[in-house]
Amino acid sequence: MSLTRRLTRYYLYYTAGFVAFVVMVGLLEQTYGAGVWVGYVFLFVTIAIYAIIGLVARTSDPVEYYVAGRRVPPVFNGMACAADWMSAASFMGLAGSLYVSGFDGLAYVMGWTGGYCLVAFLLAPYLRKLGRYTLPDFLGTRYDSNVVRGLGVFSTILCSFVYLVAQIQGVGLIAARFIGVDFSIGIFFGLAGILVCSFLGGMRAVTWTQVAQYIIMIVAFLVTTALVGHQTGTGWLPQLSYGKVLARVEQIEHTLDAQAPEQAVRDHYRQLAIQMQRQLDGLPDSYTQGKTALRQQLRALRQRNAALREVKAVEDKLQTYPRNVHEARDLWTARRNDYQARSQVPQSMTVPFAATEAAAREAKRLNFLLLMLCLMVGTASLPHILTRYNTTTGVAAARSSVGWTLFFVVLLYISAPVLAVLLKYDVLTHLVGQRYDNLPAWVSQWQKVVPAQLEISDVYRDGVVQWGEIWMHPDMLVLAAPEIAGLPYVISGLIAAGALAAVLSTADGLLLTIANALSHDVYFHMLDRHASAQKRVTASKLLVLCVALFAAYVTSLQLGNILFLVGAAFSLAASSLFPVLVLGVFWRRVTRAGAIAGMLAGLGVCVYYIVATYPFFTRLTGFTGARWFGVDPISAGTFGIPAGFAAAILVSLLSPRPDQRTRQLVNYLREP
């Protein structure tokens, strides 16, 4: 029996077993009632499944550890690559972004899917033909330079690490909501699931685990979408008919916009934005005055033996007060921007680049197109994705594998907009208009999650929830979808298991990419050419552990939302790697010096723009740079990509031509 047929049979049994497990938990819920035990069961059982697969697939053979023996069939490599690809940003963040920004969120859908066309046409077959273990290994061989290899390692680690932090942040959020632990503790809980496969069996274990994880995540997402669609009257395949619900959402929003309570709520946030601007204008004096006022208030409460609740409220305010003027400026600027956004009339989900002024509309259009460009090019540059195509049996299989990857990714991407619209309809019809003393149970549960994911405050003071009084973090929307729609809690456990699968599958691939680049390219190629295969694999396993622990620590600093971190990783990869990869395959004239210049220029420009414009880094450095042409920091690759191409081409033309060996290597790569 062929490997493909055996794998098909095994994973069909696995899928049937998982469906039976979900049905069993559903029956237990009906008998014993819903509770936190459902979350524990789903999360721990699925992690146990991944651990068993990792244990069975453990290996120390370098070919198996680095590239899964180069025998993964295209269909299954497509599933594994889709799981590697569909991270927390896709599973948790995409529908949430579409819920919040409507049409503008489609930049992610089009950018990410379009990027696989670049992967298929420009890179995957050629990387597979050279047959190296890692992306830096390909660059080091193509340009015959350890300097280029070292820059490839640095770029690989940088973009992969930023991406990894976003995944671990997703683990913390899932654990905080579904097993009731603190966000920081949840981060380290997730490390066990992340490490169990990549540590034991490298690419071999990760590949077969990712296929299992893809099945769980796609079942979770499609089943939830179907159930929510059926509940809202669009049938079991809402992907085919959700336009009717979208029209209803637009009608409800239009009706609410004209109502006096909604206008009053927007006026309230407009006044808060003005007050926050006054505080910003009054810095640094306003910072000192605010802190002094809180201390005096706390002292007065203690002197008159006020209620513990009052004292605790002021203590919390003082504890969360900015530590310095720079932090206050960033925090108050973010609050002002949030208040300003909430003071605006909500725009329809179908209106592109919604803005009241022409200049703002054009700025949104520009950032939409540039973000889509960065995501497309970044997709074709991510080391953990490109490395996956080295696991196939040959060049033709690599091309076929890209096609299967796109198919499996699209299954989720055509459903994310549907789920966003259906959930918005549920919130508008079942939460808006409810009295505050009769809110659904899921509201209080999500308000307890730290960091804050949901805020509903009675701004109008009529005891009724207004549309403008609701704030939801985009990352929570998919996790809360079953609760918002009133589905059985077993579906909440299922969606949590799917989200965890999405996070762990990508985190495993990223961890392995970082560790392999360090062990194979730095340790073996640059430090000890005589290191045995066993030493290299052992070094990679130790590095997996060290990188995972450091990434968990960085995640606890809460650098930003998941979508921003992922977008920044794409810009970094596109700026540093895409120019030298494409030129290395399609232009024989590019030289070693040109590659070095291109990587340094692209990466340098991209990093500078992110550090100079993103609030977290401006707070750390105290330096704030101008936004070039109004481009958002998430699209920093807009400047890094052309800088990389320009520097590589210019320096190559000014330096001596490559030798005969390099030209023959490029000819070999380009041969069909």
Side-chain angles (χ1 to χ4, degrees), residues 191 195 199 511 515 539-551:
L191 284 182
L195 289 170
F199 185 80
L511 264 180
S540 180
K541 292 181 178 182
L542 293 175
L543 287 165
V544 163
L545 180 62
C546 295
V547 172
L549 291 172
F550 182 62

Side-chain angles (χ1 to χ4, degrees), residues 89 100 148 153 214 311 351 392 418 533 590 648 670:
V100 172
V148 176
V153 169
Y214 176 80
V311 175
V351 175
T392 57
V418 180
V590 65
R670 296 292 307 282

Side-chain angles (χ1 to χ4, degrees), residues 70 77 81 115-132 135 138 379-381 385-392 394-403 405 578 581-582 585-586 669:
R70 300 194 196 279
N77 193 60
C81 193
Y116 276 99
C117 297
L118 300 182
V119 172
F121 295 138
L122 299 181
L123 293 172
Y126 308 105
L127 268 63
R128 175 61 187 89
K129 188 166 187 180
L130 194 58
R132 294 300 182 238
L135 199 61
F138 173 87
T379 299
S381 312
I385 295 298
L386 293 177
T387 303
R388 282 231 55 92
Y389 298 107
N390 287 328
T391 64
T392 57
V395 174
R399 287 188 186 275
S400 177
S401 182
V402 178
T405 301
F578 188 75
L581 285 171
V582 171
V585 171
F586 292 96
L669 287 177

Side-chain angles (χ1 to χ4, degrees), residues 272-427:
L272 288 179
I274 293 172
Q275 293 176 17
M276 197 57 63
Q277 184 60 54
R278 288 173 183 162
Q279 286 186 254
L280 287 167
D281 294 338
L283 286 173
D285 295 339
S286 58
Y287 170 79
T288 306
Q289 292 168 1
K291 196 166 190 176
T292 302
L294 283 174
R295 286 173 175 168
Q296 291 174 348
Q297 184 181 357
L298 181 61
R299 192 180 303 115
L301 289 172
R302 287 172 174 168
Q303 287 175 350
R304 65 181 177 85
N305 292 323
L308 183 61
R309 185 176 58 185
E310 294 181 57
V311 175
K312 183 68 167 60
V314 178
E315 285 178 342
D316 289 343
K317 288 182 180 179
L318 194 58
Q319 187 175 3
T320 57
Y321 197 80
R323 291 170 294 182
N324 52 55
V325 175
H326 292 301
E327 187 173 324
R329 187 184 303 278
D330 289 337
L331 179 63
W332 294 350
T333 299
R335 286 182 183 172
R336 181 204 61 193
N337 294 341
D338 179 55
Y339 293 148
Q340 287 177 343
R342 298 181 71 172
S343 70
Q344 302 298 317
V345 177
Q347 299 293 329
S348 168
M349 294 183 77
T350 59
V351 175
F353 325 122
T356 55
E357 299 178 357
R361 192 177 304 111
E362 287 304 314
K364 281 192 171 185
R365 187 196 306 273
L366 176 65
N367 277 295
F368 179 93
L369 295 173
L370 294 180
L371 175 59
M372 190 168 61
L373 170 68
C374 290
L375 295 176
M376 287 181 65
V377 178
T379 299
S381 312
L382 287 177
H384 74 289
I385 295 298
L386 293 177
T387 303
R388 282 231 55 92
Y389 298 107
N390 287 328
T391 64
T392 57
T393 55
V395 174
R399 287 188 186 275
S400 177
S401 182
V402 178
W404 281 111
T405 301
L406 188 55
F407 169 76
F408 291 124
V409 166
V410 166
L411 287 180
L412 187 142
Y413 279 10
I414 62 173
S415 302
V418 180
L419 188 59
V421 171
L422 296 178
L423 292 177
K424 195 165 193 177
Y425 178 73
D426 262 314
V427 171

Side-chain angles (χ1 to χ4, degrees), residues 526-566:
M526 301 172 68
L527 297 179
D528 185 3
R529 290 289 297 179
H530 301 291
S532 65
Q534 184 63 43
K535 281 186 177 181
R536 288 151 54 195
V537 171
T538 302
S540 180
K541 292 181 178 182
L542 293 175
L543 287 165
V544 163
L545 180 62
C546 295
V547 172
L549 291 172
F550 182 62
Y553 165 73
V554 173
T555 305
S556 67
L557 301 177
Q558 298 179 26
L559 303 183
N561 65 51
I562 292 175
L563 270 181
F564 172 80
L565 292 173
V566 171

Side-chain angles (χ1 to χ4, degrees), residues 98 138 143 150 213 444 596 610 669:
L98 292 164
F138 173 87
Y143 293 103
Q213 288 165 333
S444 60
I596 294 171
I610 292 175
L669 287 177

Side-chain angles (χ1 to χ4, degrees), residues 413-484:
Y413 279 10
I414 62 173
S415 302
V418 180
L419 188 59
V421 171
L422 296 178
L423 292 177
K424 195 165 193 177
Y425 178 73
D426 262 314
V427 171
L428 286 169
T429 54
H430 296 122
L431 183 57
V432 175
Q434 285 283 337
R435 295 198 59 81
Y436 274 88
D437 56 7
N438 191 35
L439 291 176
W442 67 268
V443 172
S444 60
Q445 293 295 325
W446 277 98
Q447 284 179 322
K448 296 175 185 177
V449 175
V450 178
Q453 301 293 311
L454 175 66
E455 177 188 310
I456 304 178
S457 52
D458 193 5
V459 172
Y460 191 60
R461 300 190 181 281
D462 63 346
V464 176
V465 178
Q466 311 298 332
W467 176 231
E469 294 173 345
I470 303 171
W471 174 84
M472 298 174 68
H473 197 292
D475 293 342
M476 69 154 277
L477 189 74
V478 170
L479 294 178
E483 297 167 277
I484 294 173

